Amino acid sequence: IRIYEMNIKDYIILVIFSLGLGWFLVESKPTYKHTPTNDALALGEAAIKAHIEAQIDTPTTFSVANQTALFIGDSHTSNRTQGWQTQLSKAVGFKMINPSVGGKTTYWMLEMAHLKLNNKIDYCFVYGGANDMYSSHITPQEAVDNIKGIARMCTGLGVKCVVLTGFDPVKCTRTSNVKYAGKYSKFQELLLSEYMDGAQVIDTRVVARTDCWDGLCHMAPSGHKKIAEKVMKDLAFQRI
């Protein structure tokens, strides 16, 4: 009986001690106050966070001034005074090589790449396919394969190859060739969906019908400007 009574007493003492200890811990919890030091640290953390967010939101651009760019194309790249390639080169500081000739197909462009490409060129821009798609004997896949051939040459020489899709043929062209817009659209679809052997494809369907001088959308300076600006934006080129 005495052992049982002692256990009860011990239990009561233990409960009272536990309650007292709990009260002491709660009442003695330290209170943190804002101090100048804490405020300075908070401001520093806010400044760092704002800097990181600014870096994420601000696209990084880089200079290509004095680098050499080869432009291979047809009439859409042969306007040597106000063409997109001229506007681009002036804006970023490219040394431009432009053998483009109106009326040529991607077969001619492939041959031109063999003649003009070398390891001293930094960029090769390819904008073609319109004449291929206007003809009845060149398929969209054949034209894409020709451009892939240019891309492979560029890769072997350490040249960055950039391919432009051209304007939107459905929106921009007005021609009696009823198959032209559909073939051109298919050609663009292949450019954007297939692996282009290392080339970067830029979707330049940013031209409006009002930027076209004729039914085949030979562009006014406003259209060429839109193409040049799209290329600069997508490649993050820095203006000089």
Side-chain angles (χ1 to χ4, degrees), residues 98-118:
N98 184 15
S100 301
V101 176
K104 299 300 184 180
T105 68
T106 56
Y107 283 98
W108 177 88
M109 294 175 200
L110 184 58
E111 293 177 4
M112 189 55 56
H114 279 287
L115 295 174
K116 297 293 183 179
L117 274 172
N118 60 67

Side-chain angles (χ1 to χ4, degrees), residues 123-232:
Y123 285 85
C124 176
F125 292 87
V126 184
Y127 179 2
N131 295 307
D132 302 63
M133 299 306 101
Y134 200 86
S135 74
S136 59
H137 64 279
I138 303 175
T139 67
Q141 188 64 62
E142 288 172 339
V144 168
D145 289 343
N146 287 336
I147 295 176
K148 287 182 180 180
I150 299 174
R152 286 192 295 272
M153 280 188 276
C154 288
T155 300
L157 292 167
V159 178
K160 173 68 175 178
C161 186
V162 181
V163 179
L164 281 62
T165 63
F167 49 78
D168 184 339
V170 175
K171 180 174 65 176
C172 295
T173 61
R174 301 291 185 270
T175 172
S176 59
N177 186 335
V178 295
K179 295 183 179 180
Y180 176 65
K183 283 183 67 179
Y184 203 158
S185 295
K186 178 61 178 178
F187 165 73
Q188 293 173 329
E189 178 186 325
L190 293 174
L191 286 179
L192 292 166
S193 62
E194 292 195 1
Y195 174 66
M196 293 301 295
D197 290 338
Q200 179 175 348
V201 179
I202 297 181
D203 189 345
T204 54
R205 292 174 292 184
V206 294
V207 178
R209 174 61 193 154
T210 53
D211 296 314
C212 303
W213 269 340
D214 58 22
L216 293 174
C217 196
H218 289 98
M219 293 177 287
S222 59
H224 284 286
K225 181 180 180 181
K226 290 178 180 179
I227 296 286
E229 289 179 345
K230 185 62 160 59
V231 172
M232 278 189 285

Side-chain angles (χ1 to χ4, degrees), residues 56-100:
I56 295 173
D57 294 337
T58 304
T60 301
T61 60
F62 62 96
S63 174
V64 291
N66 298 315
Q67 294 190 22
T68 301
L70 172 65
F71 296 86
I72 302 178
D74 49 31
S75 57
H76 299 297
T77 310
S78 64
N79 182 334
R80 285 169 172 76
T81 56
Q82 296 177 312
W84 68 271
Q85 76 289 338
T86 301
Q87 295 189 41
L88 173 66
S89 297
K90 288 180 178 179
V92 302
F94 272 144
K95 292 183 286 187
M96 179 177 59
I97 302 173
N98 184 15
S100 301

Side-chain angles (χ1 to χ4, degrees), residues 35-51:
T35 65
T37 301
N38 289 337
D39 291 341
L41 289 173
L43 288 173
E45 292 175 356
I48 293 172
K49 182 179 179 182
H51 176 72

